[in-house]
Amino acid sequence: MLDQEKLSSLIKDSVSVFVYDTVTSTNDVAKELCKTNDGCILVVADGQTNGRGRQGKSFFSPKGSGLYFSMVFPVSSPTAEFAGVTCAVAVACSRAIKKITDLDVKIKWVNDIYIENRKACGILVQSVSENGVITKLIVGIGINISTVDFPDEIKDIATSLGKRIDRNILAAEIANNISELIFKNPDDYIDEYREKSNVIGKEITYFQNNIAHKAQAVDIDKNGGLVVNENGKTITLTSGEITVRFPL
Ligand code: BTN
């Protein structure tokens, strides 16, 4: 059971912890809370009715069988210079999941966490701006822990950790790892990101202006860009979604 006191006691840094039963989306609640709370915030919910992912997709968030949470980090930057953040968060999640479950964890560029070729965890980083300055980063993480009945559209590509774990312990471990890595130089974690990548060497498809491009993923560069070879030409992708066919 999610427990505000237990979770707070496991978090190393000074973070205000809010625990809810069901919310629309912890990212939305975090956005509201950071209007009246300075400093770092952690919002955790037992379930979400409108969990969201990247590219306008929804994130299936049934009550009780996953971990759905958002962290708010105050920042001050006129530009979106947080390119490394998504990679840092992916490394933080993969370290924590490995430590708590001992599962073999992989990262699908840019920041999905995979177990045995299926997605078990998604990450959505958003920002809040005031007068053209980014003032908060909102890092949302959803992990399927014991979910089994996935909707048809994701049932062949989604999985769960499938371990009995205390969600307070996993949430705290992830939060502590994120706090440690989020503002570090990518040099400090990019090798680990690269080692955990499950796309290097694979045929991928990326989309540009709604056009599908087939290419081969060859490397992750020092800033977390995906280096691909497309018809003999080397290109670095810095954002967007890729699709990869993993053997099932
Ligand atoms: C993705 O798979 O594209 C990202 C999924 C992110 C889901 C998490 S669950 C907690 C937080 N609240 C949301 O609405 N989304 C994120």
Side-chain angles (χ1 to χ4, degrees):
M1 229 178 56
L2 290 168
D3 177 333
Q4 198 272 345
E5 265 184 36
K6 180 170 187 183
L7 185 46
S8 298
S9 72
L10 294 167
I11 306 260
K12 288 186 195 147
D13 293 328
S14 159
V15 177
S16 305
V17 178
F18 298 85
V19 174
Y20 295 90
D21 185 37
T22 300
V23 296
T24 51
S25 153
T26 55
N27 270 31
D28 289 347
V29 174
K31 264 179 224 164
E32 276 309 303
L33 285 170
C34 72
K35 290 179 184 164
T36 48
N37 290 269
D38 295 330
C40 280
I41 303 174
L42 174 62
V43 181
V44 191
D46 199 31
Q48 301 183 118
T49 54
N50 189 24
R52 290 191 315 277
R54 296 186 307 276
Q55 315 276 319
K57 292 184 186 150
S58 62
F59 187 82
F60 185 55
S61 313
K63 195 168 152 47
S65 67
L67 178 59
Y68 318 110
F69 71 101
S70 304
M71 283 187 91
V72 179
F73 292 91
V75 291
S76 178
S77 170
T79 56
E81 59 173 35
F82 304 105
V85 162
T86 48
C87 294
V89 175
V91 170
C93 289
S94 62
R95 273 187 198 175
I97 295 172
K98 171 76 184 162
K99 179 170 171 192
I100 304 297
T101 65
D102 202 32
L103 289 163
D104 185 23
V105 182
K106 298 282 183 215
I107 301 171
K108 173 182 168 268
W109 190 85
V110 58
N111 55 5
D112 287 333
I113 305 293
Y114 272 54
I115 311 270
E116 293 182 353
N117 290 331
R118 287 170 185 248
K119 176 169 166 174
C121 164
I123 297 163
L124 174 67
V125 180
Q126 299 183 297
S127 57
V128 172
S129 300
E130 278 166 42
N131 305 320
V133 173
I134 298 177
T135 53
K136 316 270 181 188
L137 289 183
I138 303 190
V139 177
I141 296 167
I143 305 178
N144 307 319
I145 294 182
S146 56
T147 309
V148 278
D149 284 329
F150 290 102
D152 281 352
E153 59 274 22
I154 56 168
K155 72 175 171 20
D156 294 332
I157 49 169
T159 192
S160 291
L161 304 185
K163 301 255 182 179
R164 285 183 71 86
I165 51 165
D166 182 332
R167 288 179 292 169
N168 300 293
I169 294 177
L170 181 61
E173 187 65 30
I174 294 175
N176 289 335
N177 274 285
I178 292 177
S179 297
E180 185 194 327
L181 289 184
I182 189 160
F183 298 123
K184 277 205 169 154
N185 188 309
D187 288 353
D188 292 334
Y189 52 76
I190 209 70
D191 286 346
E192 187 173 342
Y193 183 96
R194 195 177 288 117
E195 273 160 31
K196 290 185 168 137
S197 168
N198 62 2
V199 305
I200 295 174
K202 299 247 175 30
E203 293 298 324
I204 63 120
T205 304
Y206 73 94
F207 295 86
Q208 222 165 40
N209 303 325
N210 279 332
I211 298 171
H213 295 253
K214 292 210 179 300
Q216 174 151 46
V218 289
D219 198 7
I220 305 286
D221 78 4
K222 62 181 175 43
N223 299 311
L226 181 66
V227 184
V228 302
N229 185 307
E230 184 177 354
N231 301 323
K233 238 175 82 184
T234 301
I235 303 166
T236 302
L237 308 178
T238 53
S239 62
E241 277 308 285
I242 59 165
T243 57
V244 185
R245 268 180 200 276
F246 292 108
L248 294 176

